[in-house]
Amino acid sequence: MDTAETDGPKTEERPKWDNKAQYLLTCIGFAVGLGNVWRFPYLCQIYGGGAFLIPYLIALVFEGLPLLYLELAIGQRLRMGSISVWNSISPYFGGVGVASQAVSFLVGLFYNTILAWVLWYFFHSFQEPLPWSQCPVIEDQTGYVPECEASTPVNYFWYRETLNISPNVETSGSLHWWLVVCLGAAWCIVYICFIRGIETIGKAVYVTATFPYLVLTIFLVRALTLPGATEGLRYLFTPKWEILENPQVWLDAATQIFFSLSLAFGGLIAFSSYNPEKNNCERDAVLVGCINSATSLYASIPIFAILGFKATSNYNSCLESNILALTNKFDIADQNMTIENYDSWMDYLTEMAPEQVAQLHLRECSLQTFLDQSASGTGLAFIVFTEAVIEMPGSQIWAVLFFVMLFSLGLSSMFGNLEGVLTPLLDLNLVPKWMPKELFTGLICLLSFSVALIFTLGSGNYWLEIFNSYVGSIPLLIIAFFEIVAVVFIYGIRRFSSDIEFMTGRRPNLYWRVCWMVISPLMLLVVFVAYIAVQVQSHPTYPAWDPEYEKFPLPWVQPYPDWVIAICVLLAGVPVLPIPLVALYQLVKFLISRQKRGSRHAPNNPYTNQAFEIKKIIITEEQHFLNIKI
């Protein structure tokens, strides 16, 4: 593999991408993840379809792209991992890299657990019929499992057969061996693809970054031919302009574009550090950012077409059950009452025999209601979509393709998470020289697997939602804010612009400079304050799956216990603690060093050369503190 020399006091060989395509595919694969398939469509659904694109695109232009460009540029210029980059800019900002590394490690724990769930569904997708298509029979063969009959086969397979979920977060339960096996398999696959760093990643991304687009295209063609697909697309693209008055829409748009691009994880900095210095990182940033957002929109089309098909199927089933009840009650001849003339029949019967119709307790059937039944995250992948697949001809094929696509999306994102953990450790020479990189990578994967066993408990799904909500939110906003401060105000916007001119041949234009200096940090600050304000307004709750709940199968929304809230605060705060701690350590170190030098040589004759040297040393230390280049 090609190598390049690293800038710094030690001349070391640094890995280098074999070609530009490997680098771009890796960045795209890291940015395009599971959130593009299940989070973005969900936000479009609940926030008025096409209207949500307006705040989303504004956030992309003024927050996402500038931050993406900044990370790619600083990584390419300094050619280091996240810790070394920020430490070289100023030792007082070394904690920013440590915080990125901590977040990457914690996010990788639950992200790979989702891949373990995907593997579990993938293994079951070859059965005929699909195991989530019907309820299992009880042991004496006299009926179906009551929990399944009370809910649906899809819900039962997810909550009981897969998660074997406990009734609340306080009931941990035991480790589930099938999830432990799938989790181990997921980490083994990640390790095999990552065993030799970017040399093996560069080969794997040819598949993991491109295969999801092939599957999405296949799903797009198939989904558009399903009955009810047009209803789903009409729901997606019909804007509800009044929804833009809700400030929550703008908050979710800003956070979605931020997390979707995988900013502040350190992985993008590490990937760009393997580039040659003469590379157009501005074009790379625009390309990766636009492809990521286009993928979100592209994925929404087949997803909403399938959701429209599912809503239409549920709507027709609802009408058919009502038709059967009315036919039996009023002795209507078969085929006289159909879905097409149901409304006219209902108007007639309601007018002629209102009391008898009321006694039937008919279901209220509304296509709009079924379309409004939104689901996000795991609910979309493992409940809504699997239920829709049952109704599709050749359901096994579509299930296999869907879960292979999800695994490819998640695997390419895991490369970036693991790179954000390993590269800083290797750059700081924290790995013993006698230990091969392959062994060290294996130890990190083994450690991650061991910690992630918490997600294979009966309460594992609750803990995964906690990690997802608190690790992948506030810490990233804080890290990104300090990244901009470090580059613009410490490293210096002029110096940074000169570096970009050296790498690309031209200085950043006014748009980039204004975003870096004013708009982007201001947006991050506003989003952070708004996020905190939203969180403190109400007690955090979570939906629990409890068959003993009187309104089962509806989820039982319960408040988090105080000790769980304390853990949530720790998960949001501990990853970013290195930022103030490292800065405080460096400040104390500087003050002690200055005091020692002053006491060692005092008093001094101001007219001697010795006093001049002491003064020069003190000035140098102060300039180092401010990181001002002489």
Side-chain angles (χ1 to χ4, degrees), residues 569-621:
V569 173
L570 289 176
L571 288 174
V574 170
V576 296
L577 272 182
I579 297 177
L581 290 180
V582 170
L584 182 61
Y585 168 76
Q586 293 292 344
L587 178 60
V588 171
K589 181 180 175 182
F590 162 71
L591 293 176
I592 293 175
S593 174
R594 181 177 180 179
Q595 184 179 12
K596 285 183 178 180
R597 285 197 177 98
S599 60
R600 187 184 308 164
H601 299 281
N604 294 299
N605 187 337
Y607 299 102
T608 63
N609 290 334
Q610 183 184 18
F612 175 77
E613 292 296 332
I614 296 299
K615 186 176 180 180
K616 183 178 179 181
I617 291 173
I618 293 174
I619 292 174
T620 303
E621 288 288 341

Side-chain angles (χ1 to χ4, degrees), residues 231-378:
E231 297 296 334
L233 294 180
R234 186 179 296 113
Y235 188 90
L236 169 63
F237 290 110
T238 301
K240 299 176 183 177
W241 302 112
E242 65 277 5
I243 205 74
L244 294 178
E245 298 176 1
N246 183 2
Q248 186 68 37
V249 179
W250 297 84
L251 176 61
D252 283 342
T255 52
Q256 170 62 19
I257 192 61
F258 182 82
F259 305 137
S260 176
L261 287 171
S262 301
L263 300 168
F265 282 93
L268 292 170
I269 294 176
F271 288 147
S272 64
S273 71
Y274 302 127
N275 273 336
E277 288 186 338
K278 297 287 187 177
N279 174 64
N280 194 339
C281 49
E282 177 183 358
R283 182 176 56 195
D284 297 342
V286 174
L287 186 63
V288 171
C290 291
I291 289 178
N292 174 74
S293 297
T295 302
S296 297
L297 185 59
Y298 186 62
S300 298
I301 296 175
I303 292 295
F304 268 87
I306 292 173
L307 290 178
F309 162 70
K310 177 180 177 294
T312 301
S313 299
N314 292 340
Y315 174 69
N316 291 339
S317 298
C318 179
L319 291 181
E320 288 170 358
S321 66
N322 288 352
I323 289 173
L324 180 61
L326 292 169
T327 300
N328 294 334
K329 180 68 176 180
F330 295 98
D331 295 326
I332 301 174
D334 291 343
Q335 307 300 322
N336 275 8
M337 182 182 292
T338 64
I339 292 177
E340 286 75 19
N341 62 18
Y342 172 81
D343 291 335
S344 58
W345 268 102
M346 273 298 297
D347 293 340
Y348 171 74
L349 294 174
T350 302
E351 183 178 352
M352 297 298 297
E355 294 182 359
Q356 296 181 22
V357 172
Q359 292 174 356
L360 293 176
H361 300 290
L362 299 176
R363 296 173 59 188
E364 185 175 341
C365 303
S366 169
L367 180 61
Q368 186 66 33
T369 301
F370 288 114
L371 287 170
D372 288 336
Q373 291 176 352
S374 58
S376 174
T378 55

Side-chain angles (χ1 to χ4, degrees), residues 42-357:
Y42 163 74
L43 292 175
C44 285
Q45 185 178 14
I46 65 173
Y47 288 141
F52 177 74
L53 295 178
I54 295 177
Y56 178 81
L57 292 176
I58 291 175
L60 171 66
V61 172
F62 294 108
E63 181 187 49
L65 289 179
L67 281 166
L68 180 61
Y69 185 16
L70 182 142
E71 289 199 354
L72 295 183
I74 201 69
Q76 179 176 309
R77 181 66 182 99
L78 299 183
R79 303 175 61 74
M80 301 174 183
S82 57
I83 295 180
S84 300
V85 160
W86 305 117
N87 195 58
S88 66
I89 289 177
S90 174
Y92 297 90
F93 281 81
V96 176
V98 179
S100 293
Q101 186 182 35
V103 171
S104 292
F105 177 76
L106 293 174
V107 169
L109 296 180
F110 72 80
Y111 208 91
N112 219 30
T113 303
I114 298 176
L115 297 190
W117 296 342
V118 171
L119 284 179
W120 171 255
Y121 268 80
F122 171 74
F123 295 146
H124 285 80
S125 296
F126 295 94
Q127 298 183 24
E128 171 62 39
L130 291 172
W132 56 82
S133 63
Q134 55 191 14
C135 287
V137 181
I138 58 179
E139 293 182 1
D140 58 7
Q141 306 294 314
T142 58
Y144 296 106
V145 175
E147 183 181 349
C148 183
E149 284 189 306
S151 55
T152 64
V154 171
N155 283 334
Y156 180 81
F157 186 82
W158 168 240
Y159 287 110
R160 191 56 55 207
E161 297 288 345
T162 302
L163 300 177
N164 194 18
I165 196 168
S166 59
N168 53 64
V169 70
E170 295 180 276
T171 306
S172 296
S174 59
L175 294 176
H176 302 322
W177 66 265
W178 57 92
L179 292 181
V180 174
V181 171
C182 290
L183 182 63
W187 276 109
C188 286
I189 294 173
V190 170
Y191 173 69
I192 292 172
C193 294
F194 203 90
I195 190 169
R196 300 193 64 183
I198 67 169
E199 184 176 357
T200 48
I201 291 176
K203 305 298 187 296
V205 292
Y206 286 121
V207 176
T208 60
T210 58
F211 183 76
Y213 291 96
L214 174 63
V215 176
L216 279 176
T217 303
I218 295 173
F219 269 106
L220 176 63
V221 175
R222 180 68 184 95
L224 292 178
T225 63
L226 293 172
T230 54
E231 297 296 334
L233 294 180
R234 186 179 296 113
Y235 188 90
L236 169 63
F237 290 110
T238 301
K240 299 176 183 177
W241 302 112
E242 65 277 5
I243 205 74
L244 294 178
E245 298 176 1
N246 183 2
Q248 186 68 37
V249 179
W250 297 84
L251 176 61
D252 283 342
T255 52
Q256 170 62 19
I257 192 61
F258 182 82
F259 305 137
S260 176
L261 287 171
S262 301
L263 300 168
F265 282 93
L268 292 170
I269 294 176
F271 288 147
S272 64
S273 71
Y274 302 127
N275 273 336
E277 288 186 338
K278 297 287 187 177
N279 174 64
N280 194 339
C281 49
E282 177 183 358
R283 182 176 56 195
D284 297 342
V286 174
L287 186 63
V288 171
C290 291
I291 289 178
N292 174 74
S293 297
T295 302
S296 297
L297 185 59
Y298 186 62
S300 298
I301 296 175
I303 292 295
F304 268 87
I306 292 173
L307 290 178
F309 162 70
K310 177 180 177 294
T312 301
S313 299
N314 292 340
Y315 174 69
N316 291 339
S317 298
C318 179
L319 291 181
E320 288 170 358
S321 66
N322 288 352
I323 289 173
L324 180 61
L326 292 169
T327 300
N328 294 334
K329 180 68 176 180
F330 295 98
D331 295 326
I332 301 174
D334 291 343
Q335 307 300 322
N336 275 8
M337 182 182 292
T338 64
I339 292 177
E340 286 75 19
N341 62 18
Y342 172 81
D343 291 335
S344 58
W345 268 102
M346 273 298 297
D347 293 340
Y348 171 74
L349 294 174
T350 302
E351 183 178 352
M352 297 298 297
E355 294 182 359
Q356 296 181 22
V357 172

